[in-house]
Amino acid sequence: MNHVLYGLSANPALPCELVERLIAVADADLAEALACRPDLSRAQVKALASRFEEAAVRLAYEGRLSAADVDPAVQPRAALALLEERTGRPQWARLLAADPLVEHRERLAACPDLPPDVALTLAADPEIRVVAELALWTTPHLAARLARHPHAEVRRAAAANEATPPALLTALLTGEGLPAARSCLVCDCETTPFVHAPHCPEPDCELPAGAACDGSHESTVHDIHQTALRNPATPAAAAALFADHPSVLLRQELAARPDLPPQVYARLAEDPVPWVRARLADNPAIDEALIRTLATDRGHDVQRRLAHHPRLPLDVLAHLAGVTRLGSPLLPRIAAACPAEVEELAASPDATVRMLLAQRRDLPAEIRDTLARDPDAKVVKSIAPHPGLSEARLRAMVEQHGARVAAKVAANPDATPALLEDLARHRPPVQKAFREIARHRHATAPALLACLTDRQARTIAASHKALPPTAIVELLADDNWQVVEAAAANPSLPPASMLELVP
């Protein structure tokens, strides 16, 4: 790949005539990159689409190709992309349903609004993967039919389709009212009984690890149950029957459902496997009593996941902040806190709670400034990117806490050019600060030149429009291809250099 040309293809300042020259010399990769340009003329779009099908596919998904631009016999993948976007022609579906390539028929099966005759043709396709793809996306009537398909893999796909009628989803879970499946992907290719080894030596084997069949298609039946439990259209009463199932995978899927009776959640809260209880802690439907029970659960990841619950009581949040490592995310409960709760959190004696509040970027000025003066560095680090902080306050943060807060101060959208230059000269150097400076809209040439000394910041700085043109040209010969692409994509690259670079 020519990384200079690839970078130029994304340069918003590239003159129109050079875009056309790139189209003329493009290979498939460069053509696909050029297809991402928002400023392509109609003629340029058609030229790219006619030469490279992958570029045509991307242009189709972006709505820049019409049905009149595509011949499905010549560019079937572009035609499929238009059908997926509902802008193709119905007769294309009839043509593609007979395509000899399985991959094309499989993609067609996922397209919306298929003509009924095409859907029936795909439902009878000799390749099970095509029928399964259809079952995953088709209409309720055909999904109900495919839920009874003799192949278990098709039933698994129907179990994932939210259009499958609830009665059939229940039947897929319980097995009642359905004839037994006659085959699965395992017994299609292996003599049963068979259990697939976790580390299969066959390079072309497509069976998943643990796939098994003794005539009852047990691994695929398990997948059907797991998929149906994950499907929100599956009736809660049918799903609740799996609360005591021996499979941990099925119980953890059940624990994530938001439509179960409270007694089922209570049973899952006593599950012996922490993974199940951790999934339950994520569930927005659990009540306060169960939240408080899980707050004392020391099982792996239970408390951390519970901290992200949107209806977490503030006293429970404070408890969790003290007993588990949360990092510094903006927790949903803090994001939804009302003004009175914000004041309560800001006055918390626990610095971790104040730090979590400081992640909000819409705090009242008084609370924002109070947190900016906090004696704890992690609170100051958390509030430093908050908009509205004055240059004097940002400088005071760095004076008080030094390198611990420098990168977050550099990330503040209101950081001034002078402050960014001073942060770039900070001693000792702060590598993360260089990266924030390199992407900052207020960064100046001196600050950006300093950022070039950091390996990761160098790539970011190479694309900044404030970087001096001479430096940009020099970076086109950098040893790092990412730096080269970034420099070539820089809109401040001199037009004369662009001209020299394009064949």
Side-chain angles (χ1 to χ4, degrees):
M1 179 184 291
N2 186 321
H3 295 291
V4 169
L5 296 186
Y6 200 82
L8 278 175
S9 70
N11 194 316
L14 192 68
C16 179
E17 60 271 19
L18 294 187
V19 173
E20 292 182 355
R21 281 167 60 173
L22 281 182
I23 291 173
V25 301
D27 58 11
D29 289 332
L30 184 57
E32 195 169 357
L34 284 164
C36 297
R37 291 186 66 91
D39 60 350
L40 292 176
S41 68
R42 178 74 180 140
Q44 290 168 342
V45 166
K46 294 181 72 173
L48 269 178
S50 65
R51 290 188 59 209
F52 301 97
E53 187 169 18
E54 285 304 319
V57 169
R58 181 177 289 275
L59 290 165
Y61 281 129
E62 293 181 356
R64 291 195 280 175
L65 278 187
S66 67
D69 300 323
V70 173
D71 181 349
V74 177
Q75 293 185 314
R77 286 177 293 166
L80 284 164
L82 288 176
L83 286 171
E84 287 179 37
E85 296 297 305
R86 293 184 167 92
T87 55
R89 292 172 176 163
Q91 59 266 34
W92 293 356
R94 297 183 177 90
L95 174 67
L96 292 165
D99 193 298
L101 284 180
V102 178
E103 291 79 5
H104 292 171
R105 303 199 307 276
E106 187 176 13
R107 282 189 59 186
L108 177 64
C111 291
D113 306 327
L114 290 173
D117 60 312
V118 173
L120 291 174
T121 298
L122 294 171
D125 196 280
E127 288 287 342
I128 285 301
R129 58 193 268 197
V130 175
V131 185
E133 191 69 17
L134 180 68
L136 187 61
W137 303 104
T138 194
T139 58
H141 176 74
L142 193 50
R145 171 179 158 181
L146 294 176
R148 300 180 175 89
H149 196 278
H151 201 287
E153 186 65 17
V154 177
R155 296 187 181 194
R156 185 197 62 78
N161 190 339
E162 294 183 26
T164 301
L168 269 300
L169 290 170
T170 296
L172 288 168
L173 274 179
T174 64
E176 297 176 4
L178 289 181
R182 294 200 294 267
S183 57
C184 68
L185 294 179
V186 180
C187 58
D188 281 349
C189 56
E190 301 289 347
T191 301
T192 58
F194 176 83
V195 177
H196 191 229
H199 305 289
C200 180
E202 299 296 330
D204 58 347
C205 181
E206 296 182 354
L207 289 176
C213 181
D214 59 4
S216 64
H217 324 298
E218 61 266 32
S219 65
T220 310
V221 169
H222 182 277
D223 289 346
I224 290 171
H225 292 163
Q226 187 173 9
T227 303
L229 288 172
R230 194 180 296 142
N231 191 332
T234 299
L241 299 174
F242 285 75
D244 295 315
H245 196 279
S247 169
V248 175
L249 291 174
L250 298 188
R251 299 200 309 275
Q252 62 92 17
E253 291 292 351
L254 186 65
R257 289 186 64 100
D259 57 353
L260 300 177
Q263 60 268 26
V264 176
Y265 292 137
R267 191 181 316 167
L268 292 169
E270 298 174 352
D271 196 281
V273 179
W275 187 20
V276 175
R277 305 195 305 274
R279 288 295 297 271
L280 183 66
D282 273 338
N283 195 321
I286 60 175
D287 60 22
E288 182 175 334
L290 198 52
I291 288 174
R292 292 186 179 279
T293 298
L294 292 172
T296 63
D297 190 328
R298 299 294 291 173
H300 176 68
D301 219 27
V302 175
Q303 292 176 322
R304 187 192 66 80
R305 285 176 175 254
L306 186 66
H308 291 78
H309 199 282
R311 294 189 294 107
L312 196 66
L314 291 185
D315 64 306
V316 175
L317 187 152
H319 165 72
L320 294 174
V323 299
T324 190
R325 295 180 65 88
L326 298 177
S328 56
L330 175 58
L331 299 176
R333 180 63 181 88
I334 286 180
C338 68
E341 291 172 330
V342 167
E343 292 185 5
E344 178 184 344
L345 292 166
S348 172
D350 189 333
T352 302
V353 173
R354 302 196 304 275
M355 175 198 71
L356 293 170
L357 173 65
Q359 283 295 316
R360 278 184 59 156
R361 298 292 174 254
D362 60 348
L363 294 172
E366 182 179 349
I367 290 178
R368 176 202 65 205
D369 292 343
T370 298
L371 293 173
R373 295 189 296 269
D374 199 282
D376 195 294
K378 64 176 175 282
V379 179
V380 176
K381 182 179 176 181
S382 186
I383 198 67
H386 198 297
L389 289 168
S390 67
E391 180 178 4
R393 175 46 53 195
L394 292 171
R395 287 184 179 277
M397 291 177 177
V398 178
E399 289 174 9
Q400 183 177 4
H401 300 288
R404 290 178 293 177
V405 302
K408 293 297 184 179
V409 169
N412 190 292
D414 300 320
T416 63
L419 174 57
L420 294 173
E421 289 183 13
D422 288 345
L423 290 171
R425 293 191 293 265
H426 190 277
R427 292 293 177 268
V430 182
Q431 307 306 121
K432 289 183 179 180
F434 284 137
R435 298 161 210 168
E436 297 296 345
I437 295 166
R439 62 172 60 94
H440 202 290
R441 61 194 175 103
H442 293 159
T444 61
L448 292 168
L449 290 171
C451 292
L452 294 177
T453 62
D454 179 75
R455 182 177 58 84
Q456 294 185 41
R458 187 176 180 85
T459 304
I460 306 168
S463 65
H464 200 295
K465 63 182 181 181
L467 193 65
T470 53
I472 300 171
V473 173
E474 290 176 5
L475 291 173
L476 293 173
D478 198 87
D479 293 337
N480 185 333
W481 65 268
Q482 293 173 308
V483 174
V484 172
E485 283 191 7
N490 194 319
S492 295
L493 181 66
S497 297
M498 295 183 190
L499 188 63
E500 292 174 1
L501 294 169
V502 181

